[in-house]
Amino acid sequence: MKKVIFVLLLLVACMGPVQKKLPQSAEVMTGTSALEVSFNPNSMKDLLMCQEANVLVDMKNVGALDIEGGIRSFILEEQTLKPVKMEEKQKSFDLEGKSQFNPRGGVAQFEFKVKNVGLPEQLESYDSPLILQACYTYKTSAGVQVCIDPDTKNVNPQKPCRAEPVSLSGGQGAPVAITRVEPLMVPEGNKISPKFAVYVQHVGLGTVVTEEGAELACTGGEESKARLSSYATVKADLQGRPLSCTPNPVRFEAGKEVRFICDNEDAKFGSAEGTFTSILNVEISYGYVNTAVLPMKITRLPGQESCK
Amino acid sequence: MVLHGHAPPDDHLTGELKKDMPNWKAWAANFVAPGSGFLVKMADKFKKKPVAAAAAGAVGGAAVAAAVRPAPAAPMMASYGGSDFGSTFKSKAGKGLLILLLSITLYYVLLRLGVNWPFDLSLIVGLGFLAMFAIWWPEQVEKIFKFIAAGFGFFIIFVMSALLFARIPWMPHLFVIGFLFLAVFVSFQIAGRKWGWIIFMINLLFYVPLMATPMYQTLFVPGTPFYTAVEGQQQAWGVMFGGIGEVGSQIGKIAKEQVLIASGDYEQGVEAESERPLGVFLDDVGAVAQIVKENEVIDVYARLRAESFKTVEPVRISVRCYVEDWAEKLTGEIRPRSQFSVEEYELQDLDCIMSAKPVFDNTGGSANIIIETSFNFTTSSYLKGYFMEQDRIRALRRQQLDPLDAFGITDKNPLAVYTGGPLKIGLGVGQQPIALLSEEEEIQILGETNPPTAALVSEITGAQTVGDGTFGPTLTITLDRNWFEGELFEVGKLIITVPPGMSIDSVSGEKISCPVQAGKEHTCTLSGDLLKKLFTSPVVLPKTIRVQTKINDPDVLLANAPLAIRSFKLTVTYKYIVKKEVSVTVRPAESKV
Amino acid sequence: MKKSVLFVLFLLVLVSCARKSTEPQVTDFRYGTEGIRMEFVQNLPPPRLFDREPFNVMIQVENRGTTTIGQQDGAIFLSGFDNTIITGINTNGIPIPELEGRGPFIPKGGINVVNFKGVIQSLSGKRIDKYQPTILATACYHYETVASAQVCIDPNPYAATSQQRVCSPGTISPGSQGAPIAVTSVQVDPSPGKTRFTINIQNVGGGDVFKFGGQYLDKCSPYNPGLGFDEIDFVRVADVTISGTKLAGCKPVDNQGFVRLANGMASLYCEYGGMLGQSAYLTPLNIILHYGYRQSIARPIEIRPVA
């Protein structure tokens, strides 16, 4: 036993200084969702004829951006179910997104009361869906670390970085995600003009519309199909210098990556700048629509005829 | 029945039993005819067979005769390896006789003890003797039985089925048909192909007319086993073929439906769940007596059951009865009454009483009495519709999204839900969601000038101005039978309701005009001449009509929402007739029934 | 037990009875394969920084070779980061301070530090969680390799008479010379009247060698277009002397005196015809090489926005 203790002490003494690990900070700019809407399980799905029902809605902003001026709207079969307060049927909302000081994002819950105004005669029960739509403008912002390498001939093998494609996984805290960036160092004389092929994809569960179409998506009225189409505008800059991107706006297709290329003809880098890592800022602006459905069942009690 | 005529092998009695055989013979004879046992012993002893046989026969008793009978059959018996009368019971014939005697004995003993035998002794005796003859004279019996069985085997089976399986409706005919095939097969095996076919044809020619025609009613006395057997067979076949026919007609109906659905001329629906079946039903229909004399009264009964939702108007039911094909002349009286008013539930036993004499005079005796109920009924149907701006639909489709999927709607092709009853009502509005076109777009589709002139608009759309409402969806309504029985006599009232913001323009091309209240559902009630024009009585089902609508105010329809869920409603009040029939036979007054 | 105690005592006696030298010993100082050694001073920079903070990088520079480096002999450059994010770092680099090389009486070369000071700009507008550049410190300097070896010269290697020879010509390994470019071996190939030497040179320092000269030193900077292919892997043969006689005409040396290294190695062929006498003798062969040298160290850092 003493020998064991002696050996252990020897080992402990011989161990080098313990390397302290850096504390991990919460990653805010990750995730593939923005707003999550759902009906609370405590919502009343079954109601009797002529009765009221309380429906609870949970909204969580798990994205990286605050939502401001969003609209939430209920769609219901008004011949059967009517809102108790009409003004609650369509309302605007704001919800804070994730941040370092609020890594989980903002949460809101609200109540919506509906009342059954009667059933078609001779029907004992009737199914009617209650649909909630949340429409808002959103942005996907990402700072992608890219290598600017004017040494296209690889004269200096010892480089701090290499101009290689950068893959981004896990999203940027928005339903539209930048999936990868491919830098291209295009030689122009003795300098290079970097171009960036940016790939984005709609990875959320809702629907992408144009930024102008966000409000329209939740309200009726005359609208042009262009505003409700799945388009987003893009912006990019490198070292504070804006880049021009084409195509812009970019159109999303379900399940497919779309690409746009950004560059700045005036932004050239020569050997004087050396090889270095910089940040390519990409911002994609769009409108987004989330939907949740609560199937409701209205039952007639024996003897009930109509609601007065 | 075909018997094999080969000689049985040696008997298999045990030694002990063999010892007691002579005593048994005498004992059995004594039991049947006391004192005859002595004669049996004597006959046995002196081997004076003819004398003993005659003496035994003079004493009487079937058992005695049977016991002695082996004596004349001795030569034949000798061929079995025994000339001695005492060896009678050693042979199979002897064993058969013994069993017969024992059966008879047992029958009487149990009868005396109180057992109520369902069959007659004569049946047992007859079968027993047949068996013994087959054993003693197998070749001869074989020939006879071949003929009898081939020719009349089915009689026996009929009788057996009537007596044994009378209460089970489907068994007799299956039993018989099984034996038919078995008998034919055996006949072929034994008689050969030529005689097999002859036997088969004889039976077929006999069997088919018997089953297919009412000739048994003249051939056999009603109430007797033959009569009962044939009647039971016919009823069994009738039920079976009736079911097949119904299935066949259902298959045909479904096929026809599919053709109509494919051509867009049939709208489907589903029946609403209901705790109890709705409608008017005639249950337990029958006749007090299926054969009556002409000087008697025909009494046909039924149970009327009516179940309905409580409605503003009660359901009025009329009942009447008459002889088929003699609806005006030969009618009966319904007791306790022929008119009923049902609010929710009614259960009433009815009788149709009519005199048999006129029936006999007019029909010759065989008549179908029909009990007919006619009642007004109301069936409602509801169809959910989804409305969306055309531009929005296009924008979603461009994103390869189903417009209804984008709103989380799972019931994308809702079917009409109709309430229970004799009719089913299908509703359809075409592809969902229903696209709301802008006025300009609609006119551009129709018109050739851009922008179209007011004159052209008026000419094409029939609208006075462009703002007179754009075309709405066409509501297709299909009425079809929901019950197997009955028929739709006439449609009394048709109430169509479309969502607010819409109005009904015409029905199957017939313009109609009902007042529209802004912001409310538009309801039109059709009745009178228009309905008679649309539904000629009696109505041939399925029947489809088309309702053309207009969109007067899309904002009201959509209610400032990207998607509107609205209902189309239809209520049909109609007169439905249900008939049930009972066969009755009227005999002359002097006949035996 | 007694034997072991006796043995220990015996060792103690041996040690204590060893003569102490009164004269100072001249130790061989030409060893090692490094020129300059650079190291980031611990926590400068720290592994994690925040924006809107000063950015300090301190590099300890030590002369691990035998050549003294003056201020004009090289500079250290800091690169690898976006100069709009980390500002204030001079792209001209900081001249390497004077560092004395190791010598016979200087057991350890000079050590100094080089300090880079900059400022980290705000990252909040960049919408990123962190910026993770790799900081690269590159040293570009002139250096010298002095290799000295005792070689055996045999004027008459194949003489018929047998004579007692002092030495036999062969291959000599001088070992490391306290420089990143080393003369790894010298092959002596005697012949009557001439002795040929094959001098093998190798880049043992782990860095890049390039032509000696001020203009090449400038090109070495990561902020310059960079050295061309005809500028890298060249060593200037400054001097090859034997017995005080300079060996000229060594091959393959270009007209500027440079020899190219291939795969980090080169071979120099020299001839010596001024042999004395008939018998073999040892004489020193001195080789001096001049070159420029580049080496780098890297450190990844993480910069996070504060808000």
Side-chain angles (χ1 to χ4, degrees):
Chain A
M1 188 61 186
K2 286 180 186 173
K3 284 181 192 172
V4 169
I5 295 169
F6 174 73
V7 167
L8 283 171
L9 282 170
L10 203 62
L11 280 170
V12 167
C14 290
M15 273 169 65
V18 174
Q19 285 194 345
K20 287 181 188 171
K21 281 187 184 172
L22 289 172
Q24 294 294 318
S25 304
E27 299 285 340
V28 166
M29 308 290 289
T30 57
T32 56
S33 287
L35 187 69
E36 288 178 353
V37 288
S38 61
F39 286 97
N40 193 289
N42 292 326
S43 302
M44 286 173 67
K45 287 193 294 191
D46 298 314
L47 68 157
L48 299 172
M49 188 172 142
C50 312
Q51 298 295 313
E52 281 184 12
N54 274 358
V55 169
L56 291 169
V57 177
D58 295 328
M59 291 203 325
K60 280 188 271 189
N61 186 355
V62 296
L65 189 75
D66 295 345
I67 295 174
E68 285 169 10
I71 293 178
R72 56 156 179 86
S73 169
F74 285 96
I75 298 168
L76 53 168
E77 194 176 345
E78 292 198 26
Q79 288 164 287
T80 309
L81 286 171
K82 268 194 160 29
V84 170
K85 292 182 186 171
M86 269 315 277
E87 60 272 19
E88 290 290 321
K89 193 183 162 199
Q90 206 170 80
K91 253 186 157 182
S92 67
F93 70 95
D94 299 325
L95 202 55
E96 195 188 348
K98 284 197 294 191
S99 67
Q100 283 181 343
F101 308 105
N102 186 9
R104 290 181 179 236
V107 175
Q109 192 182 68
F110 62 90
E111 192 186 45
F112 182 63
K113 281 190 183 177
V114 294
K115 185 177 174 172
N116 169 247
V117 293
L119 281 185
E121 58 181 37
Q122 296 182 296
L123 275 188
E124 288 184 359
S125 66
Y126 191 70
D127 293 323
S128 187
L130 177 64
I131 303 170
L132 170 66
Q133 278 206 307
C135 308
Y136 48 94
T137 56
Y138 215 68
K139 282 183 178 36
T140 297
S141 296
V144 184
Q145 255 178 215
V146 292
C147 182
I148 306 298
D149 183 13
D151 180 20
T152 51
K153 294 174 188 170
N154 207 29
V155 171
N156 184 2
Q158 291 189 7
K159 296 181 186 183
C161 62
R162 295 194 183 273
E164 286 167 341
V166 179
S167 282
L168 304 162
S169 63
Q172 291 85 41
V176 171
I178 297 165
T179 51
R180 59 197 161 103
V181 175
E182 291 178 356
L184 304 157
M185 304 294 130
V186 180
E188 284 188 18
N190 56 358
K191 290 193 175 182
I192 54 109
S193 175
K195 289 187 198 300
F196 302 95
V198 182
Y199 292 82
V200 294
Q201 189 174 358
H202 174 211
V203 293
L205 298 174
T207 311
V208 176
V209 295
T210 61
E211 219 173 344
E212 307 77 38
E215 185 181 331
L216 216 55
C218 271
T219 58
E222 213 171 300
E223 58 256 355
S224 70
K225 65 176 181 228
R227 286 199 280 172
L228 291 171
S229 297
S230 192
Y231 279 95
T233 51
V234 296
K235 271 196 251 180
D237 69 78
L238 182 71
Q239 292 192 318
R241 283 183 279 189
L243 306 176
S244 72
C245 302
T246 50
N248 192 6
V250 65
R251 183 170 152 246
F252 289 97
E253 288 180 36
K256 286 187 187 171
E257 254 184 351
V258 292
R259 185 188 76 167
F260 55 89
I261 296 178
C262 300
D263 65 355
N264 186 333
E265 285 182 1
D266 299 327
K268 292 188 176 45
F269 298 87
S271 54
E273 280 81 20
T275 302
F276 62 96
T277 308
S278 187
I279 297 172
L280 171 71
N281 286 310
V282 181
E283 188 178 271
I284 306 167
S285 305
Y286 47 90
Y288 206 70
V289 182
N290 287 106
T291 308
V293 180
L294 181 71
M296 301 196 77
K297 186 169 183 154
I298 305 118
T299 308
R300 183 199 298 270
L301 286 175
Q304 267 188 311
E305 288 184 24
S306 63
C307 302
K308 289 169 189 174
Chain B
M1 227 170 2
V2 177
L3 301 171
H4 293 271
H6 296 289
D10 288 335
D11 65 279
H12 303 290
L13 293 172
T14 59
E16 283 188 9
L17 199 56
K18 275 185 189 173
K19 243 194 233 173
D20 293 332
M21 278 297 188
N23 287 331
W24 283 28
K25 190 169 61 179
W27 178 83
N30 276 328
F31 187 80
V32 174
S36 60
F38 171 72
L39 288 170
V40 167
K41 275 187 182 175
M42 291 297 289
D44 210 62
K45 191 175 175 181
F46 293 108
K47 295 182 181 159
K48 287 179 182 175
K49 302 170 187 78
V51 174
V59 172
V64 176
V68 176
R69 196 176 282 273
M76 193 176 158
M77 294 295 291
S79 68
Y80 292 103
S83 57
D84 188 359
F85 191 79
S87 64
T88 300
F89 287 107
K90 292 178 189 175
S91 67
K92 273 214 170 167
K95 273 186 269 184
L97 177 64
L98 184 65
I99 291 167
L100 181 69
L101 290 173
L102 285 172
S103 303
I104 294 165
T105 307
L106 193 66
Y107 176 87
Y108 275 112
V109 165
L110 292 172
L111 185 70
R112 284 180 185 181
L113 288 173
V115 171
N116 189 14
W117 291 107
F119 46 80
D120 211 342
L121 176 65
S122 56
L123 180 67
I124 295 187
V125 171
L127 285 171
F129 271 115
L130 279 172
M132 283 194 313
F133 289 142
I135 295 165
W136 287 337
W137 299 294
E139 289 164 7
Q140 290 82 348
V141 168
E142 185 182 344
K143 282 180 190 165
I144 295 166
F145 267 95
K146 266 185 191 173
F147 176 73
I148 293 171
F152 302 101
F154 288 100
F155 275 115
I156 300 165
I157 296 166
F158 287 150
V159 171
M160 284 169 66
S161 65
L163 295 176
L164 297 175
F165 305 106
R167 290 288 173 193
I168 306 169
W170 53 267
M171 277 226 42
H173 62 312
L174 294 179
F175 185 74
V176 166
I177 206 73
F179 259 85
L180 172 68
F181 283 110
L182 182 66
V184 167
F185 173 74
V186 172
S187 301
F188 270 89
Q189 294 293 315
I190 293 171
R193 183 175 278 193
K194 178 187 161 191
W195 275 104
W197 277 113
I198 292 168
I199 292 166
F200 176 68
M201 290 311 297
I202 291 170
N203 279 284
L204 201 66
L205 288 168
F206 162 72
Y207 187 68
V208 169
L210 201 62
M211 289 296 109
T213 66
M215 78 180 203
Y216 73 97
Q217 292 177 347
T218 46
L219 273 177
F220 309 121
V221 176
T224 55
F226 273 179
Y227 186 95
T228 311
V230 176
E231 190 179 52
Q233 294 280 319
Q234 276 204 356
Q235 278 179 0
W237 283 116
V239 168
M240 193 166 114
F241 279 122
I244 291 168
E246 190 53 51
V247 167
S249 73
Q250 274 299 100
I251 290 169
K253 189 169 177 296
I254 289 167
K256 189 182 168 192
E257 258 181 42
Q258 294 302 316
V259 169
L260 289 171
I261 291 168
S263 67
D265 207 23
Y266 190 98
E267 292 299 339
Q268 295 173 289
V270 290
E271 190 166 342
E273 285 175 21
S274 181
E275 285 176 3
R276 53 177 195 268
L278 299 174
V280 176
F281 309 94
L282 276 175
D283 301 326
D284 298 335
V285 179
V288 169
Q290 284 195 300
I291 303 164
V292 296
K293 289 185 184 172
E294 63 175 313
N295 57 351
E296 292 175 341
V297 165
I298 297 171
D299 184 354
V300 172
Y301 58 83
R303 177 163 284 177
L304 176 73
R305 178 166 52 94
E307 298 204 53
S308 174
F309 266 112
K310 204 170 178 179
T311 54
V312 175
E313 293 174 18
V315 176
R316 289 202 175 77
I317 303 170
S318 297
V319 186
R320 67 180 188 131
C321 64
Y322 52 89
V323 175
E324 189 177 26
D325 300 330
W326 296 90
E328 301 305 322
K329 193 173 177 186
L330 301 174
T331 59
E333 184 191 349
I334 299 291
R335 292 190 193 156
R337 62 184 187 280
S338 61
Q339 302 286 332
F340 297 88
S341 184
V342 176
E343 295 243 339
E344 266 193 54
Y345 181 75
E346 185 84 28
L347 190 69
Q348 179 71 54
D349 287 330
L350 307 169
D351 283 90
C352 167
I353 310 290
M354 64 169 74
S355 178
K357 174 93 171 82
V359 174
F360 182 75
D361 291 341
N362 287 284
T363 67
S366 185
N368 280 340
I369 310 295
I370 291 173
I371 298 185
E372 179 188 283
T373 64
S374 61
F375 53 91
N376 290 332
F377 205 80
T378 300
T379 300
S380 300
S381 187
Y382 312 90
L383 175 69
K384 207 175 288 183
Y386 304 106
F387 293 84
M388 204 186 289
E389 288 260 352
Q390 176 73 286
D391 281 345
R392 192 180 293 269
I393 295 171
R394 285 180 184 143
L396 289 167
R397 290 222 167 103
R398 278 199 75 189
Q399 298 177 52
Q400 276 117 46
L401 280 176
D402 184 279
L404 294 178
D405 277 343
F407 289 88
I409 289 171
T410 51
D411 183 19
K412 292 193 282 193
N413 291 304
L415 287 176
V417 177
Y418 57 89
T419 54
L423 279 194
K424 60 180 172 186
I425 302 176
L427 299 175
V429 286
Q431 191 185 10
Q432 301 244 28
I434 299 161
L436 301 182
L437 302 174
S438 62
E439 280 187 33
E440 292 79 13
E441 198 167 20
E442 187 158 315
I443 291 164
Q444 278 176 12
I445 290 166
L446 297 168
E448 292 166 5
T449 59
N450 187 13
T453 61
L456 183 64
V457 164
S458 179
E459 183 188 320
I460 292 170
T461 66
Q464 294 302 311
T465 63
V466 168
D468 202 13
T470 55
F471 295 118
T474 298
L475 177 68
T476 312
I477 301 167
T478 300
L479 304 183
D480 198 3
R481 190 195 302 279
N482 198 29
W483 291 353
F484 288 137
E485 299 159 343
E487 60 181 25
L488 175 63
F489 185 69
E490 66 178 9
V491 176
K493 196 159 56 172
L494 197 75
I495 304 171
I496 310 169
T497 303
V498 296
M502 287 178 67
S503 63
I504 299 162
D505 190 50
S506 57
V507 178
S508 293
E510 296 282 339
K511 272 277 188 195
I512 57 171
S513 144
C514 307
V516 178
Q517 276 184 299
K520 299 214 171 193
E521 294 174 323
H522 183 222
T523 301
C524 269
T525 303
L526 309 181
S527 59
D529 292 335
L530 176 60
L531 272 189
K532 282 178 185 161
K533 205 172 166 182
L534 293 170
F535 301 98
T536 49
S537 175
V539 183
V540 175
L541 296 173
K543 172 73 180 170
T544 299
I545 60 171
R546 298 170 73 84
V547 178
Q548 290 80 31
T549 66
K550 281 198 320 193
I551 310 283
N552 300 325
D553 194 340
D555 292 336
V556 168
L557 184 59
L558 287 176
N560 200 34
L563 171 80
I565 306 171
R566 303 289 190 187
S567 288
F568 294 87
K569 300 173 198 172
L570 179 79
T571 301
V572 180
T573 304
Y574 50 92
K575 188 174 180 183
Y576 200 79
I577 291 174
V578 173
K579 298 176 192 173
K580 286 272 173 87
E581 65 180 51
V582 178
S583 294
V584 165
T585 304
V586 182
R587 296 249 181 238
E590 61 280 2
S591 67
K592 276 187 188 175
V593 174
Chain C
M1 182 63 178
K2 283 186 182 176
K3 283 182 188 173
S4 59
V5 170
L6 280 172
F7 180 68
V8 169
L9 282 170
F10 173 69
L11 284 174
L12 279 169
V13 166
L14 265 179
V15 167
S16 60
C17 293
R19 266 201 194 172
K20 286 183 185 175
S21 168
T22 54
E23 292 174 5
Q25 292 291 321
V26 179
T27 54
D28 185 10
F29 60 95
R30 293 192 192 279
Y31 60 88
T33 59
E34 290 177 86
I36 279 173
R37 177 186 282 186
M38 288 189 295
E39 267 180 17
F40 285 101
V41 171
Q42 195 172 11
N43 233 29
L44 285 171
R48 178 181 288 169
L49 297 106
F50 293 93
D51 64 347
R52 291 179 274 177
E53 274 187 356
F55 178 68
N56 280 329
V57 178
M58 194 175 279
I59 299 169
Q60 179 179 281
V61 188
E62 183 185 354
N63 193 344
R64 300 274 295 179
T66 56
T67 304
T68 296
I69 298 176
Q71 281 213 339
Q72 305 300 319
D73 288 324
I76 293 177
F77 305 90
L78 209 62
S79 63
F81 51 88
D82 188 337
N83 58 12
T84 61
I85 297 175
I86 302 175
T87 58
I89 303 294
N90 194 347
T91 56
N92 294 326
I94 294 176
I96 297 174
E98 193 166 323
L99 296 170
E100 210 168 347
R102 201 167 50 241
F105 305 105
I106 305 168
K108 201 170 179 183
I111 298 179
N112 213 326
V113 289
V114 168
N115 194 16
F116 292 90
K117 280 185 185 173
V119 175
I120 303 172
Q121 299 301 311
S122 171
L123 287 177
S124 55
K126 307 237 182 249
R127 302 290 301 163
I128 51 165
D129 284 332
K130 58 194 172 198
Y131 173 52
Q132 290 176 301
T134 299
I135 304 299
L136 192 74
T138 306
C140 298
Y141 55 95
H142 284 145
Y143 218 69
E144 183 185 72
T145 296
V146 176
S148 183
Q150 295 282 346
V151 293
C152 181
I153 305 291
D154 188 354
N156 210 358
Y158 306 110
T161 55
S162 66
Q163 277 183 324
Q164 199 172 7
R165 289 187 165 86
V166 171
C167 59
S168 292
T171 302
I172 301 155
S173 294
S176 55
Q177 292 94 48
I181 301 295
V183 174
T184 51
S185 61
V186 178
Q187 285 170 301
V188 181
D189 188 12
S191 64
K194 271 189 186 175
T195 300
R196 292 182 181 86
F197 301 98
T198 303
I199 301 165
N200 292 312
I201 299 165
Q202 190 174 350
N203 181 357
V204 294
D208 301 320
V209 63
F210 56 90
K211 281 184 176 177
F212 183 88
Q215 71 274 36
Y216 307 112
L217 204 62
D218 290 335
K219 281 190 178 180
C220 170
S221 163
Y223 295 103
N224 273 350
L227 296 158
F229 293 105
D230 56 349
E231 291 162 347
I232 282 185
D233 286 334
F234 280 92
V235 169
R236 194 164 89 181
V237 182
D239 200 15
V240 180
T241 55
I242 185 166
S243 306
T245 306
K246 189 176 169 116
L247 296 180
C250 289
K251 290 176 180 129
V253 175
D254 66 14
N255 50 9
Q256 289 177 337
F258 291 107
V259 64
R260 180 191 271 276
L261 273 69
N263 291 327
M265 293 189 286
S267 294
L268 201 59
Y269 303 95
C270 303
E271 277 185 0
Y272 175 54
M275 294 169 293
L276 304 167
Q278 294 293 316
S279 53
Y281 59 95
L282 284 169
T283 185
L285 173 69
N286 292 315
I287 305 154
I288 297 175
L289 306 169
H290 288 162
Y291 47 86
Y293 208 72
R294 177 174 65 192
Q295 62 196 71
S296 306
I297 53 169
R299 172 171 278 196
I301 60 170
E302 183 183 283
I303 301 172
R304 284 186 174 264
V306 169

